[in-house]
Amino acid sequence: MSEQYQKMWTELGLDLKAHDALLGVLSEAYQKIFMAQDNRPQAMSYFDFVMSEVHGLRIKELLDEKAAGRKIIGSYCVFVPEEIALAANATLIGLCTGADFATEEVEKYLPRNTCALIKSAFGFKLGRVCPYLETTDMVVGENTCDGKKKAYESFKEIINNLYVMDLPQVKSANGKALLKAEYVRFKEAVEQLTGVKVTVESLKAAIKLVNAKRAAMLRLYQLRAADPAPISGLDALLANQVFFYDNPERFTASVNKICDELEQRIKENTGAFPAKLPRILVSGCPQAMPNWKLPAIIETSGAVIVGEESCVGERGVRNLVDGSGDSVDEMLDAIVERYFQVDCAIFTPNCDRLQHIEQMAKAYHADGVIHYGLQFCTPYLMESMPVQKALEQKNIPCLRIETDYSMEDMGQLKTRVEAFIEQLK
């Protein structure tokens, strides 16, 4: 892939040496973690191909879209509504935040004790290794937490197309009104960017497209309730990570193809792992690509992951938008209704999230929950303690993990995870 796309990457302004090093590490990790798994669904070959071309063919597709007059919008959060971008003739893509890069340069802009996800966004830009970021016509930052809110003030110094979206912190009438106002403002900004007005027809079509994508992922999630689990947690997480990058129609068809195969596997009692293994629900911070550390540890320690309560997981795809409205405003209300149900830890109080964790543990027959928190991510780390307390009151064992993107704590994490899994047997 490297030689084939050198010209494209050069024109995007990437640091080719650093980018080659990143792709080398990514490829090696993918081979060791994903390709070494046994009993993978055959339909995962599509996602293997996507990963082999993750900085190649998909970037070329996006550049071809731009050449045809379409705009590309980058996002770091599931609160940015893809429906509005699509309805105004733009493509929304998730941006790279799952690995450390250019740390020394990043710490010239951010304190050392900033969460890894925020530092990663800076690192990919400062290191000039993210072709997705370099294809964008607009980057949407969102005020989910204080760390991001203040970081975007510095991020403006290194990118010239940042748009900041404000988000509510309380599930109230005022909070919903704020979200509606911000989505109207976002719609107007996207219309100005693309020169295309959102219409009833275009918004209805966009809602249908995104609903289909989310419904496919929800179908995949529900199939993981079977024992033996028909797909590994690693492969399911990979599909959810690709959700943010791929062409929506092609992604939906590919996930539904996997689901067809999984349904057949369930009928044949075939699993990615043997039956009766300890079943783990992972809850907490999003695990953005290529952050595969914790799931790899869990699934090489004698357990299977059966669900992710995360923005890169069921939280990000739960609930569909009602597309039956007769006006743009009615459909915007429906979009707000759907996104306002996202139970991110930025909200206070956030009782819905705790209920969803319990519901997911029950629905997926999880034997225990591992709460994944990134170091210095205050909202999720603060919530992890009441989550653990509430789960244990329901006799659901819970292990709280706090880590970052480095590999330095692999041994310590594996020891703790193995001990927790042993407790579940």
Side-chain angles (χ1 to χ4, degrees), residues 335-346:
I335 289 171
V336 169
E337 196 63 41
R338 184 264 162 194
Y339 283 84
F340 202 57
Q341 296 179 67
V342 175
D343 49 9
C344 173
I346 62 164

Side-chain angles (χ1 to χ4, degrees), residues 69-128:
R70 196 173 175 88
K71 300 296 183 182
I72 308 299
I73 299 175
S75 159
Y76 294 108
C77 180
V78 297
F79 271 104
V80 180
E82 185 175 8
E83 295 88 345
I84 292 175
L86 289 170
N89 196 37
T91 295
L92 186 76
I93 53 170
L95 295 174
C96 310
T97 55
D100 292 329
F101 216 88
T103 304
E104 286 187 14
E105 287 301 306
V106 172
E107 291 178 359
K108 293 176 183 175
Y109 290 85
L110 299 173
R112 186 171 180 275
N113 57 350
T114 302
C115 96
L117 190 145
I118 297 173
K119 292 175 80 171
S120 178
F122 277 65
F124 276 94
K125 177 58 185 176
L126 292 167
R128 295 191 290 128

